[in-house]
DNA sequence: ACCATATACTTAATATGTTAACGAGATATT
DNA sequence: AATATCTCGTTAACATATTAAGTATATGGT
């Protein structure tokens, strides 16, 4: 995830006015030359994701949570208790990253671990009351932002996008 | 970027057959409960991006390049010479990350820095012959994979997806 | 010329992504 | 039961993401 999109829109906003104009022309010329670069699907998916996250990031930042930490909390709020591996799959976070995320959330008092009794290898994770409370506070605000986002697109387009993304997701190299 | 999608598809493939069945039912029940979680646009964009990158990652890995390093090389191959800031904007990489990426690529002999004569603050970056050669070798293979990707989707859908993503990218929170 | 401000890049600190390897616990096979 | 194999979570090592602060250089107004 890269920074908020705005930070990338200021490239030409430097130097004198003449320099700005020169830079703008120069960049425009260059952009024309290499349409392929900017048209790549992976790059556009990256940018699109960043644009959507810009809606939520401020709220999460204010709460002192990262995007990934929120995904974990959100999943646990729905599933009550999950194994580390299930959490990884749901949140699209690799196990090694998840270990650190869980450690930090645990030391912040947001969740608890316990070992499965049947299988000593498995770790079961659940939210603390504190985290459930935090979820109740943040969830409506984030849902509101999600509404702001989706309201800027027609229902049909949103539906289309969802279907197209699903198709992409199921591609096999 | 998270790992190849396949790694997430094995969650239920552990334990005895009975356990597998139980887990599958349990997870299915849970999935039904929380459609919202998996339907979030940002998460789908993340997954979709990962699915597309799975087409290219093996080739890059074989060449000892990361995804970001390749984005930088690709941009420089088209633009000849770029300032660090321009590179950051094009590649969607923040300046602090880019500094490290440039350092590593430079020490691998893939690119060179020079200071602008007019503005001593600016650093101009360009590829070495070695990197240009590497680009020539990798580019066709990666283009081939890109073709494999797009061939699995109809032209219309691809066009639709591009337009929808552009629309998302231009949203303002 | 002088000073306040702005810009380009870097450094620092922390969190996460990514691959490989490790250790403890479970399974299967003999 | 003994051994090899598999699985889960973790650690290690490195690259990148993210925000804040720092450094050198430029620009604008006085």
């Amino acid at each position: 995830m890269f920074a908020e999109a705005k930070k990338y829109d200021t490239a030409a906003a430097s130097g004198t006015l003449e320099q700005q104009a020169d830079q703008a022309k120069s960049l425009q010329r260059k952009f024309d030359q290499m349409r392929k670069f900017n048209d790549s699907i992976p790059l556009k998916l990256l940018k699109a994701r960043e644009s959507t996250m810009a809606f939520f990031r401020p709220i999460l930042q204010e709460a002192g949570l990262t995007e990934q930490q929120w995904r974990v909390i959100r999943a646990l709020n729905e599933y009550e208790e999950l194994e580390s591996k299930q959490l990884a799959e749901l949140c699209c976070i690799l196990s090694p990253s998840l270990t650190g995320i869980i450690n930090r959330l645990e030391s912040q008092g947001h969740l608890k671990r316990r070992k499965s009794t049947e299988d000593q290898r498995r770790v079961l994770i659940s939210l603390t009351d504190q985290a459930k409370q935090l979820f109740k506070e943040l969830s409506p605000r984030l849902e509101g932002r999600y509404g702001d986002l989706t309201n800027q697109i027609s229902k049909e387009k949103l539906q289309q996008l969802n279907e197209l993304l699903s198709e992409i997701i199921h591609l096999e190299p």
Side-chain angles (χ1 to χ4, degrees), chain A residues 114-170:
Chain A
R114 73 178 183 92
K115 284 211 169 191
S116 165
T117 48
E118 315 97 47
D119 190 335
Q120 294 287 93
R121 294 170 302 180
R122 301 174 193 245
V123 177
L124 297 172
I125 300 155
S126 56
L127 294 183
T128 62
D129 291 342
Q130 168 193 323
K132 290 178 188 173
Q133 181 58 33
L134 181 62
F135 180 87
K136 278 187 194 168
E137 290 166 17
L138 292 183
S139 183
R141 296 179 59 194
L142 291 164
E143 285 295 325
R145 295 302 284 143
Y146 195 82
D148 295 342
L149 198 173
T150 54
N151 281 340
Q152 295 189 38
I153 316 172
S154 71
K155 299 256 183 202
E156 300 79 37
K157 287 186 180 178
L158 208 54
Q159 174 68 10
Q160 268 184 22
L161 180 62
N162 256 306
E163 287 170 6
L164 289 169
L165 290 179
S166 293
E167 193 165 344
I168 299 279
I169 290 169
H170 293 116

Side-chain angles (χ1 to χ4, degrees), chain A residues 53-160:
Chain A
M53 284 313 301
F55 281 76
F56 312 108
R57 221 186 285 278
I59 297 175
L60 295 178
Q61 235 165 310
E62 186 189 327
L65 291 175
T66 67
E67 180 189 329
Q68 294 84 349
Q69 289 171 344
W70 177 249
R71 254 186 285 161
V72 168
I73 290 176
R74 204 151 92 91
L76 288 172
N77 183 71
E78 303 256 1
Y79 287 74
E80 284 298 332
E81 190 172 56
L82 285 170
E83 294 170 21
S84 189
K85 191 174 185 178
Q86 298 174 315
L87 207 46
E89 192 198 1
L90 282 170
C91 299
C92 296
I93 294 174
L94 294 176
S95 296
S97 296
L98 192 56
T99 295
I101 294 171
I102 290 172
N103 284 339
R104 285 179 282 274
L105 282 175
E106 188 182 27
S107 67
Q108 291 170 33
H110 285 319
L111 53 78
K112 355 170 219 193
R113 294 170 139 109
R114 73 178 183 92
K115 284 211 169 191
S116 165
T117 48
E118 315 97 47
D119 190 335
Q120 294 287 93
R121 294 170 302 180
R122 301 174 193 245
V123 177
L124 297 172
I125 300 155
S126 56
L127 294 183
T128 62
D129 291 342
Q130 168 193 323
K132 290 178 188 173
Q133 181 58 33
L134 181 62
F135 180 87
K136 278 187 194 168
E137 290 166 17
L138 292 183
S139 183
R141 296 179 59 194
L142 291 164
E143 285 295 325
R145 295 302 284 143
Y146 195 82
D148 295 342
L149 198 173
T150 54
N151 281 340
Q152 295 189 38
I153 316 172
S154 71
K155 299 256 183 202
E156 300 79 37
K157 287 186 180 178
L158 208 54
Q159 174 68 10
Q160 268 184 22

